Amino acid sequence: MKKINFKCLVLILTIHIIMASLAGLFLPVLMAQEKTFNLNSEASQTDDVIFTWYERNIKKKAWMALDEVAVFPRKGEATKIDSNTLLQQFHPKAKITEKNNFIIYIKSPEIMSKDSLLNKISSLRDFENISQISPVLFTSPQKEPETRMVLTGDIIVRFPPEYTDKQINPIEKEYDLTRKIAFKFQKNTFLYQVADIPDSINTANRLYLSGQVIYSYPNWVRGRVKRAIPDDTLFPDQWHLYNTGQDGGSIGEDVNITSVWDTYKGSTAEVIAIVDDGLEINHEDLMPNIMPGLSWDYTNPDGDPDPTAGEHGTSCAGIAAGKGWNNLGITGAAPNSGLVGYRLLEALTDQNEADALTRNNNIVDIYSNSWGPYDDGSRLEGPGPLTEDALTYGINNGREGLGSIYVWAGGNGGNRGDNSNYDGYANSRYTIAVAASTNYGTRSYYSEHGANILVNAPSDGGSLDITTTDRTGTIGYDSGNYTDSFGGTSASTPLVSGIIALMLQANPNLSWRDAQHIIISTAEKNDPTDDDWTTNGAGYAINHKYGYGRIDAETAVNSAVSWTSAGPEANINITSNPGLLIPDDDETGISDTINVPNNIDVEFVEVYFSAADHPYWGDLEVILTSPAGTESILAENHISKNYSNYDNWRFGSVRHYGESSQGNWTLSVKDLADPDSGTFQSWTLNIFGTLLNSSADLSVIKTDSIDPVTANEPFFYTLDVTNTGPSTAVTVSVTDTLPDSVTFVSASGVGWACSETSGTVTCTRPVLEPGSSLITISVIAPSQGQLLSNSAVIAADTPDPVGDNNTSDESTLVAASADLSVIKTDSIDPVTANEPFFYTLD
């Protein structure tokens, strides 16, 4: 997913190839060279040379150094290289900056022109005991050491899992690839040596863009540093990013982010909107990341793109994306990501809320919301209908259809009897509800618990608060431009937002649901001795105080890189009307059960609960129990006020993630205080997730209409596609590879969408219920004497545990076409009337 301001750039970029034949050697071919303003002032007299390549479907970019090369010694001969002569030939004052038996880096004191550097590389190609010499690239235009990369001349390729050697071998031959290694842990994945070694990046790109592989990219030598520690002056105080035990805190109780910065720091392609009380856009540590003209001040009736105000929003912005590595102040979680400020809270109408949560939603990726209803446990309150519709619109249409990501503070009323599930913003399935933990890894005393809490992140409540940006001068929390006294779930929320920005930089194609999946599956179990931890029916540890644990930036970002997006969302909606009197001040209570016959993989559960005639809603405890036995405490007995009631109130729970929906779901209701009583009137169970299909058994059989077929004449054959398992298969595809000698005519089948590209017919079907379905493919036979062999393969997103008949190979003989004629001959002519005669047909 690209931002609007990058679309034109993508359209303008064209692929150029430098071919240089110097001293008999084709020098490295640079795919998609681009010229741009050189950000390195020492090299401003020359143009940058930029490489582009693809890792999966993500386009990557690197800048070539014009003062450095990498030398690969021949195996076992590193010590035999005459280093002094090598350096002299490269540059009289060149130095070896790093050396081992695998690679040697040589750096010139001068920036060269591109042609001069390539000539140097050419002149060294036959140097004794050297196997290869390559230019050095960096994935940042500033050429930061930790972003260094070098071509090895090998490429890594993964073919679709259904490809056979018959399909792979011609591709290897076409691209002149020599197979070196087959990776056992991933089917059809190989390391190849490219025949024209300097052209490896070009070969990898052409192969990926051909559409025949899942990925193809150079086997880079990548630079790494152990920990990327910012030089920002207040970074040592930011224990939430790097907890070394400051002020007696527990070492390591942080978000594990510093290693992520070795590779990802965010960029202007990932934009965070701070929806709050304002944001000082000219703050010294925020201004470099502010996206020009995109902020908005809702307190100005005419609108205003300058939201400067509000110490709260300014502090949140620093936590999410304060500028890092500028030897100044603090760093944010995503120190190079874009920032937008929406000054909303002083003009909080439903109209303005809805507008703020959808504004610029094809540019803004993440809406960070450190606000909500009053945290006193006295009210049930959430977004109005327009804002509800805005959230629905955002997840369906934001980020060009991938969905806006909404991060929401879980609330600070935990010490006042409040529960995050009384907040209709934080308990929405469209939001990521965030709790707070301390520098000891324990719950912050104010942090609200709830079945809707997805994750927690560091904040105050221990021995240290959060250090971040503040309004400049004396108008903020503290004097000066920074504060060390920020906290609440207000601080935890932008921290999660910044980490999500890094996840999107690693994989821009993540959907809003993918972001939640990744956070759940990678969170770290903090405070492991807390007695609320339990394991749900899918094996995930879950806690009403902490969600699935503290967010872990390193594992989340690493997971994002290769994440496979969730399938289409499925939904189950069932209502029950028990109409049961709730016994007053009774520990036993009552319950009602809904049986769900459908089998989906649960992501989020909503419960719409009505006990509208109960005059004091705070008396009620409401617990949902899943078929797997996992409990979601939705409401608790607490002191409240009587101006709210449970009239179709929506609770949300993330606690059943990964469980099967199938079976009995029970809602238990207790009135735990006197003297008020009421009725358990109704409830609606609304389950969201993906189709859970664990036992589909797919097969495909190919059958000719006739065999042999007649040369040069049309014929058809059928693919009989069958699901013999008890479960529905989703996202089913059948591919049929045609011989080169036939001419494709058409392909169709009821419920199938078929197309043909480069001799491969592909038919897809969203859902294949148990049973059989036919696909008819029509072609024109080639000339006589050939034996046509083709292969049909079936695959699906649904697991196929048998998988022994997913491929059907068929051979068809092509017979000679006939040249027919007919001659009719009478036995006698003329014949005699009323007498028998005969004639012949020759």
Side-chain angles (χ1 to χ4, degrees):
M1 188 275 297
K2 297 292 182 183
K3 296 289 176 277
I4 290 175
N5 56 329
F6 284 95
K7 285 183 175 176
C8 293
L9 176 61
V10 173
L11 292 173
I12 292 170
L13 294 179
T14 56
I15 298 177
H16 302 275
I17 300 176
I18 299 173
M19 298 295 290
S21 181
L22 301 171
L25 173 72
F26 281 98
L27 291 176
V29 178
L30 311 184
M31 184 77 171
Q33 276 197 37
E34 305 162 69
K35 294 185 177 180
T36 183
F37 177 74
N38 196 309
L39 299 176
N40 185 338
S41 59
E42 295 181 1
S44 59
Q45 75 276 13
T46 183
D47 292 325
D48 275 353
V49 179
I50 301 177
F51 287 65
T52 61
W53 71 99
Y54 298 85
E55 293 185 8
R56 292 187 183 268
N57 59 343
I58 300 171
K59 191 174 184 180
K60 301 282 188 174
K61 181 185 292 187
W63 285 257
M64 186 172 80
L66 297 174
D67 60 351
E68 190 172 10
V69 293
V71 174
F72 292 88
R74 295 189 188 279
K75 187 175 181 180
E77 297 183 1
T79 58
K80 299 178 182 178
I81 294 175
D82 183 347
S83 299
N84 291 331
T85 304
L86 178 65
L87 293 172
Q88 284 293 317
Q89 287 192 25
F90 183 60
H91 189 281
K93 295 184 179 179
K95 293 183 178 180
I96 293 176
T97 59
E98 186 177 334
K99 180 179 181 179
N100 57 47
N101 291 333
F102 177 67
I103 194 168
I104 302 170
Y105 292 97
I106 300 176
K107 192 173 180 67
S108 162
E110 300 174 352
I111 300 294
M112 305 180 192
S113 69
K114 174 190 62 184
D115 291 339
S116 177
L117 180 67
L118 294 179
N119 275 311
K120 290 287 188 181
I121 292 173
S122 177
S123 69
L124 293 172
R125 71 182 183 89
D126 292 327
F127 197 88
E128 191 174 8
N129 301 317
I130 287 179
S131 68
Q132 183 182 340
I133 184 166
S134 297
V136 174
L137 287 79
F138 295 86
T139 56
S140 70
Q142 296 86 2
K143 301 180 177 64
E144 296 162 317
E146 64 268 23
T147 69
R148 184 172 62 189
M149 304 177 73
V150 179
L151 289 168
T152 61
D154 296 333
I155 65 173
I156 297 171
V157 181
R158 180 183 172 191
F159 295 93
E162 67 270 18
Y163 274 25
T164 64
D165 279 344
K166 287 182 180 179
Q167 294 165 283
I168 294 174
N169 293 341
I171 299 173
E172 293 173 334
K173 184 175 181 181
E174 178 183 354
Y175 289 88
D176 211 0
L177 304 176
T178 301
R179 191 182 296 187
K180 295 176 69 174
I181 295 174
F183 297 101
K184 295 180 180 179
F185 58 84
Q186 188 62 267
K187 185 179 180 181
N188 284 352
T189 305
F190 307 100
L191 178 70
Y192 288 109
Q193 179 180 315
V194 177
D196 184 5
I197 291 176
D199 194 23
S200 58
I201 193 169
N202 189 19
T203 300
N205 285 349
R206 288 190 294 111
L207 184 53
Y208 174 75
L209 293 171
S210 74
Q212 300 176 94
V213 300
I214 295 174
Y215 53 72
S216 172
Y217 63 97
N219 183 33
W220 297 99
V221 175
R222 300 178 187 261
R224 289 288 185 267
V225 294
K226 292 186 178 179
R227 298 288 267 186
I229 302 301
D231 61 2
D232 304 277
T233 54
L234 295 177
F235 178 74
D237 297 334
Q238 293 187 277
W239 64 267
H240 60 285
L241 301 175
Y242 191 27
N243 192 338
T244 59
Q246 301 96 313
D247 199 37
S250 301
I251 296 173
E253 297 290 346
D254 53 43
V255 294
N256 189 26
I257 199 169
T258 56
S259 60
V260 178
W261 291 330
D262 294 343
T263 309
Y264 303 105
K265 294 185 178 73
S267 73
T268 54
E270 301 84 43
V271 179
I272 303 168
I274 303 297
V275 185
D276 215 287
D277 64 350
L279 190 164
E280 187 172 320
I281 60 176
N282 290 321
H283 190 289
E284 60 186 0
D285 232 0
L286 300 176
M287 182 173 62
N289 289 342
I290 297 293
M291 303 293 289
L294 296 180
S295 297
W296 201 250
D297 181 0
Y298 288 92
T299 67
N300 185 333
D302 297 322
D304 183 350
D306 185 356
T308 296
E311 60 272 14
H312 189 267
T314 299
S315 292
C316 289
I319 294 170
K323 183 64 179 176
W325 278 266
N326 60 353
N327 196 28
L328 179 70
I330 56 87
T331 185
N336 291 340
S337 284
L339 273 173
V340 171
Y342 296 151
R343 185 182 180 187
L344 172 69
L345 300 189
E346 294 166 304
L348 194 69
T349 66
D350 201 27
Q351 173 192 348
N352 286 344
E353 277 187 48
D355 187 80
L357 294 172
T358 54
R359 178 175 284 271
N360 300 314
N361 68 4
N362 271 343
I363 299 175
V364 171
D365 295 289
I366 304 152
Y367 294 81
S368 186
N369 299 270
S370 294
W371 54 275
Y374 287 102
D375 293 324
D376 57 3
S378 293
R379 69 204 77 237
L380 298 168
E381 192 173 349
L386 185 65
T387 301
E388 290 274 15
D389 288 346
L391 290 169
T392 302
Y393 179 85
I395 62 97
N396 286 319
N397 299 281
R399 298 175 56 236
E400 299 181 350
L402 291 171
S404 301
I405 297 172
Y406 297 103
V407 187
W408 223 282
N412 298 336
N415 57 327
R416 295 192 295 272
D418 208 358
N419 183 303
S420 189
N421 240 317
Y422 309 152
D423 176 345
Y425 296 92
N427 77 8
S428 168
R429 72 187 184 95
Y430 300 143
T431 67
I432 295 171
V434 182
S437 52
T438 70
N439 60 333
Y440 304 119
T442 55
R443 170 181 168 265
S444 299
Y445 66 91
Y446 53 79
S447 182
E448 295 178 22
H449 50 278
N452 61 312
I453 295 295
L454 188 106
V455 72
N456 74 85
S459 189
D460 65 335
S463 66
L464 287 174
D465 299 340
I466 299 299
T467 299
T468 182
T469 47
D470 194 8
R471 292 297 306 279
T472 54
T474 60
I475 58 175
Y477 291 110
D478 299 322
S479 296
N481 300 346
Y482 302 88
T483 179
D484 60 2
S485 58
F486 195 61
T489 54
S490 288
S492 304
T493 299
L495 182 53
V496 171
S497 297
I499 292 169
I500 294 173
L502 301 181
M503 290 161 52
L504 295 182
Q505 185 185 17
N507 186 348
N509 295 316
L510 297 177
S511 72
W512 68 278
R513 288 166 59 216
D514 293 333
Q516 296 187 16
H517 290 318
I518 291 171
I519 291 171
I520 288 171
S521 62
T522 61
E524 180 182 2
K525 185 178 181 181
N526 60 300
D527 194 11
T529 62
D530 183 82
D531 60 7
D532 191 66
W533 282 110
T534 189
T535 301
N536 76 4
Y540 290 94
I542 182 69
N543 189 303
H544 286 91
K545 303 182 187 76
Y546 300 124
Y548 286 90
R550 184 177 56 239
I551 192 166
D552 187 308
E554 181 180 47
T555 53
V557 172
N558 287 342
S559 181
V561 171
S562 57
W563 187 260
T564 300
S565 288
E569 188 174 56
N571 174 224
I572 297 167
N573 183 285
I574 303 175
T575 297
S576 177
N577 300 286
L580 299 172
L581 182 67
I582 308 169
D584 186 34
D585 194 13
D586 180 85
E587 287 283 347
T588 303
I590 56 173
S591 63
D592 188 56
T593 296
I594 290 177
N595 179 266
V596 176
N598 312 77
N599 192 16
I600 70 172
D601 193 346
V602 177
E603 295 174 15
F604 195 93
V605 177
E606 292 177 343
V607 171
Y608 288 81
F609 173 65
S610 287
D613 64 346
H614 197 292
Y616 195 81
W617 67 280
D619 283 357
L620 299 184
E621 176 189 84
V622 183
I623 298 177
L624 176 70
T625 304
S626 71
T630 306
E631 289 188 348
S632 287
I633 301 174
L634 304 178
E636 301 164 289
N637 168 236
H638 69 288
I639 298 174
S640 66
K641 296 179 180 178
N642 61 1
Y643 46 69
S644 290
N645 64 4
Y646 287 121
D647 187 1
N648 206 36
W649 176 256
R650 184 199 66 222
F651 293 111
S653 176
V654 298
R655 292 174 55 84
H656 309 285
Y657 178 85
E659 294 184 348
S660 168
S661 62
Q662 200 168 51
N664 290 329
W665 293 78
T666 300
L667 194 68
S668 303
V669 182
K670 298 178 183 178
D671 183 329
L672 296 176
D674 58 17
D676 305 293
S677 62
T679 307
F680 178 4
Q681 296 165 324
S682 66
W683 67 297
T684 296
L685 179 67
N686 208 1
I687 303 174
F688 298 88
T690 53
L691 287 172
L692 183 61
N693 304 281
S694 59
S695 57
D697 185 10
L698 304 174
S699 65
V700 58
I701 299 173
K702 178 181 176 295
T703 307
D704 293 339
S705 58
I706 53 173
D707 195 345
V709 298
T710 303
N712 303 315
E713 291 188 9
F715 75 102
F716 70 89
Y717 56 89
T718 59
L719 301 177
D720 189 353
V721 183
T722 306
N723 174 12
T724 57
S727 300
T728 297
V730 297
T731 319
V732 182
S733 66
V734 180
T735 55
D736 186 66
T737 306
L738 303 176
D740 293 339
S741 51
V742 306
T743 302
F744 174 75
V745 177
S746 66
S748 63
V750 177
W752 296 91
C754 297
S755 62
E756 183 269 342
T757 303
S758 301
T760 298
V761 177
T762 302
C763 295
T764 60
R765 184 166 169 159
V767 174
L768 180 63
E769 298 85 356
S772 182
S773 177
L774 294 180
I775 301 169
T776 300
I777 300 177
S778 298
V779 297
I780 296 175
S783 57
Q784 69 180 72
Q786 296 198 36
L787 185 66
L788 305 182
S789 297
N790 64 3
S791 179
V793 180
I794 185 172
D797 285 350
T798 303
D800 184 354
V802 181
D804 59 352
N805 50 0
N806 291 9
T807 300
S808 176
D809 295 308
E810 234 285 341
S811 296
T812 302
L813 179 64
V814 180
S817 55
D819 184 9
L820 302 176
S821 64
V822 62
I823 301 173
K824 179 177 178 294
T825 307
D826 293 341
S827 58
I828 54 175
D829 194 350
V831 299
T832 303
N834 301 315
E835 290 189 8
F837 76 100
F838 69 88
Y839 59 88
T840 59
L841 298 178
D842 189 356

